[in-house]
Amino acid sequence: MTGSTIKDIPEEWEVRGTETPFRGKKTAVRTDDVVMPDGSVVTRDYQVHPGSVAVLALDGEGRVLVLRQYRHPVREKLWEIPAGLLDVPGENPLHAAQRELYEEAHVKAEDWRVLTDVYTTPGGCDEAVRIFLARNLSEAEGERFEVEDEEADMELARVPVAELVRGVLAGELHNNCLVVGVLSLVAAEQGDGLDTLRPAEAPWPARPFEA
């Protein structure tokens, strides 16, 4: 691939039939009969997901705002960055990210940029996540958002970037958005710089939205 551009491209293979055998509160499971290049038809099951946003909030001392939360599917308490679902179809992801940062950490930010866009598990789920970089942090005004369920047991911390990188590479930190966000942050800092990142409302083909 030397000298060429490596870039994901849209493509959609023919679907001969589709069913939704399970519908949950926020997600569903879909079964598609997909036509392969040789003409055969195979069944593919995957989770249908509304999409998510996550926020790598970086303070003036080079620390990242993280929270520890119980995740039942993996039976662990994971250190994560603030994140949440895109509950409303077509919702502006920046507005959703600002809401999550406020609700989970009672923090606001003046500078927002797109850090990276990822598919979490494209082999079995269509979840797309936009990870934002938030800087110039300050305490949010007003009362704290009242959390419930797993979030009621959350712990908050501010951790130096280098410590998070060490934890990721040591196999001690596993949350997808934290891992991708922190390593992308370091790559951006060592590359063209954080101020060259995409604007906060850059197009997102995986989850189109209105500005």
Side-chain angles (χ1 to χ4, degrees):
M1 299 294 289
T2 303
S4 64
T5 299
I6 298 183
K7 182 179 180 180
D8 298 334
I9 59 172
E11 183 164 317
E12 187 170 353
W13 292 0
E14 181 185 354
V15 175
R16 291 276 175 86
T18 185
E19 296 180 354
T20 306
F22 171 80
R23 293 185 186 273
K25 183 177 180 181
K26 298 292 185 181
T27 66
V29 173
R30 182 173 296 161
T31 299
D32 286 347
D33 297 324
V34 186
V35 180
M36 297 291 106
D38 65 359
S40 63
V41 179
V42 302
T43 299
R44 292 289 179 262
D45 302 318
Y46 59 100
Q47 183 184 23
V48 179
H49 194 285
S52 306
V53 292
V55 185
L56 193 145
L58 184 68
D59 70 14
E61 298 178 36
R63 301 175 302 175
V64 176
L65 194 159
V66 293
L67 51 92
R68 185 156 60 178
Q69 184 172 342
Y70 176 66
R71 292 303 187 183
H72 186 70
V74 296
R75 308 302 200 271
E76 289 189 32
K77 272 191 170 182
L78 302 180
W79 284 106
E80 307 178 353
I81 56 177
L85 297 175
L86 290 168
D87 295 307
V88 181
E91 181 178 15
N92 187 308
L94 173 60
H95 299 165
Q98 292 169 332
R99 179 187 68 236
E100 293 300 331
L101 185 60
Y102 163 73
E103 290 182 356
E104 296 191 349
H106 201 67
V107 166
K108 64 180 181 179
E110 298 301 322
D111 187 286
W112 290 83
R113 297 173 190 272
V114 175
L115 187 54
T116 190
D117 299 323
V118 296
Y119 293 118
T120 55
T121 49
C125 179
D126 70 352
E127 180 183 13
V129 181
R130 169 156 282 189
I131 303 176
F132 289 90
L133 172 66
R135 295 183 292 174
N136 297 344
L137 309 182
S138 61
E139 190 82 1
E141 294 91 359
E143 297 182 3
R144 284 186 171 272
F145 180 78
E146 187 174 342
V147 296
E148 58 185 12
D149 301 328
E150 290 91 344
E151 293 181 351
D153 190 50
M154 284 194 313
E155 305 169 54
L156 289 172
R158 296 194 181 200
V159 181
V161 173
E163 186 175 337
L164 293 174
V165 171
R166 183 207 61 78
V168 168
L169 299 180
E172 298 169 355
L173 299 171
H174 308 93
N175 175 263
N176 181 290
C177 291
L178 173 63
V179 172
V180 173
V182 167
L183 298 185
S184 295
L185 173 73
V186 173
E189 288 178 328
Q190 295 178 354
D192 294 331
L194 300 182
D195 290 336
T196 67
L197 291 169
R198 286 173 291 161
E201 299 209 41
W204 188 19
R207 292 293 184 273
F209 62 93
E210 295 183 6

